[in-house]
Amino acid sequence: MSITTRFAPSPTGYLHVGGARTALFSWLYARKHGGQFILRIEDTDLERSTQESVNAILEGMAWLGLDYDAGPFYQTHHFDRYKEIIQQLLDQGDAYYCYCSKDELEQLRTEQMANKEKPRYNGKCRELVGRDESREAVIRFKNPVDGVVTIPDLVKGEIVVGNKELDDLIIARADGTPTYNLTVVVDDMDMKVTHVIRGDDHINNTPRQMNILKALDAELPQYAHLPMILGADGARLSKRHGAVSVMQFRDDGYLPDALLNYLVRLGWSHGDQEIFTLDEMVAYFELEDVNVSASTFNMEKLLWLNHQYIMNSDPAHVARHLSWHIGQLGLDPTQGPDLVDMVKAQRERSKTLVEMANSSIYFYKEFESYDEKAVKKNFTAGTDEILAQLRDRLTALVDWQAEPLHQVIVDLAADLDLNMGKVAQPLRVAICGSAVSPAIDVTLTLLGREKTLVRLERAIDFIKN
Ligand code: GLU
C-alpha cells in the first residue's frame, strides 16, 4: 500500500513548534515509506484565516526543509466539493436539516447541565424529512445511535468510544458553509490520506470523522495522535514560555537542522541517541516509538543541540545561514571575511548564529569605542610603542597568512623581551575593540591587512592622547 500523510494547519497564526513537530512526524513517516506528504491549508474559517499566516506557514516549512509532494491545497477552493458531499449525505438519509434555534439549543444545554448530563443535541429534528425553506436551518450528520467506534491509534493504542457519546454534529452552517469535521473528512478521503498524524487535541473529532467516512463508504485512514508539548511549568506550551514560533527560532539564531533534531526527540526516541541526521531520522522513525504521554519543551537542551550543530555541521552550511544574520545586523555579508573561515573561527564560542553574528561585527565595520575594562588592562604606558612596531612589521609582511602573522608576534615579543600575551592582547583590543576574539593570527587573517593597519593607527593615537 502506498502511504499518504498530510499536514493540515489552520492559517490563524504563525507556525508554532507543536505544528512543526506534527509536520515533521508526518513528513518522516511518508519519507520512510516512500510515500506522499501533502500540505493542506485549512482556511475555511474566513474570519480567522489570514494570508499573512499562510505565508508564515509556507515560510516555516521551507526554512525547516519539510518539502511536500503535493499542495499547498486550500480548503476554500473545495467548497463545491463539500456541498456535493453534504448533498450526498442528505440524499442517503445520513444527514438532515435542523431548525432548532440558538435559544432552543441554549435552553437544552442549560437543562442538561442542571441535570449533570453531558450537553449534547437531543436529535429533535432527526426524523424530519424534506426541507422547510421558510425556516433557517443547519445540516447535521446522523450519527449512529448504537454501537461503538474503535480508533486503532498507532500511538495510543485502541481507543473505543460509544456512539451514545457522540451527538449529531453540524456539518453545514445556516449560511451553507461546511464545518471543520466535514471538510477534513472530504479532503482526507479525496486525497487518499492513509495516515492521519495530528495533535491529540483532535482525538474527540476522530470518532465523528470515522462515522462520516463510513457513511461515505470511504476507506478509513490509520490514526496517530501525538501527545501535547508542555512548557517547563507543566502547562501547555504557549507564548508565555518564550519563543514558540518556528520563525522566531530562526531569528534567535537556531539552525533548522538543530530545531528538527530537537523536535524529533520531543516525544520520540531511538535508544539513547540524541543527535540524528535527517537520513537517520527517516530510517529509524516509527510511530510506535512515539511516547504516549506529553513531553516538555526544554530550551536549554535545544540550545545545546544548536551548538552541537553549529560546531559539527559543514561550515559552508552554517555560513549560508549566518549570512542572513549578518544581513539582519545591517551589514553586507560580502564586505567582510570569507564566511566559511569565519564560521570555523567562531563556532566553538557561539551557541547561536545571533551570537556568532554579533561577535563578528568588528570584521565588517569599525567599532565605536573600546571596551573600557580591556583598555585599562591592555593599553598601558608604552603600549603605543609596541603597537607602532607591530604596525611597521605587519606593513612589511608579504604573506598575510596565519603562520607568518603568528611569527611576527612571536618575534616582536622576543625582541622586546615580553611574553607573547603582552603583544597579542593589546593587538587584539586594537583591532577588535575588546579582549575577546578567535586566536589572534586567525583574527588577523579574517580582518585583512588594510583594516588591521587602520585600526592599529587608531589605537596608537588613542593611547597617545
Ligand atoms: N486544521 C487543524 C488544526 O490546525 C488540523 C486538522 C487535522 O490535522 O485533522 O488544528
Side-chain angles (χ1 to χ4, degrees), residues 15 31 75 106 109 131 160 237 255 272 286 312-313 315 318 365 378 395 403 447:
L15 176 61
R31 289 290 166 269
Q75 288 198 314
E106 195 44 51
R109 190 185 153 80
R131 164 83 173 103
V160 181
L237 188 70
L255 281 169
D272 293 336
E286 297 288 357
N312 301 319
S313 302
V318 180
K365 64 171 192 192
N378 298 292
T395 308
E403 230 173 89
L447 190 62

Side-chain angles (χ1 to χ4, degrees), residues 372-434:
E372 268 179 47
K373 263 199 199 147
V375 165
K376 246 194 205 129
K377 186 145 183 247
N378 298 292
F379 286 178
T380 47
T383 310
D384 54 331
E385 262 311 307
I386 302 173
L387 294 181
Q389 293 211 36
L390 252 180
R391 175 200 55 201
D392 296 343
R393 294 189 188 200
L394 290 176
T395 308
L397 183 71
V398 181
D399 189 15
W400 196 270
Q401 303 277 351
E403 230 173 89
L405 284 162
H406 181 79
Q407 203 53 51
V408 168
I409 298 165
V410 170
D411 290 348
L412 181 63
D415 293 350
L416 299 176
D417 204 14
L418 294 169
N419 71 32
M420 191 180 143
K422 286 273 183 270
V423 177
Q425 272 309 81
L427 170 59
R428 178 172 273 124
V429 179
I431 64 175
C432 307
S434 81

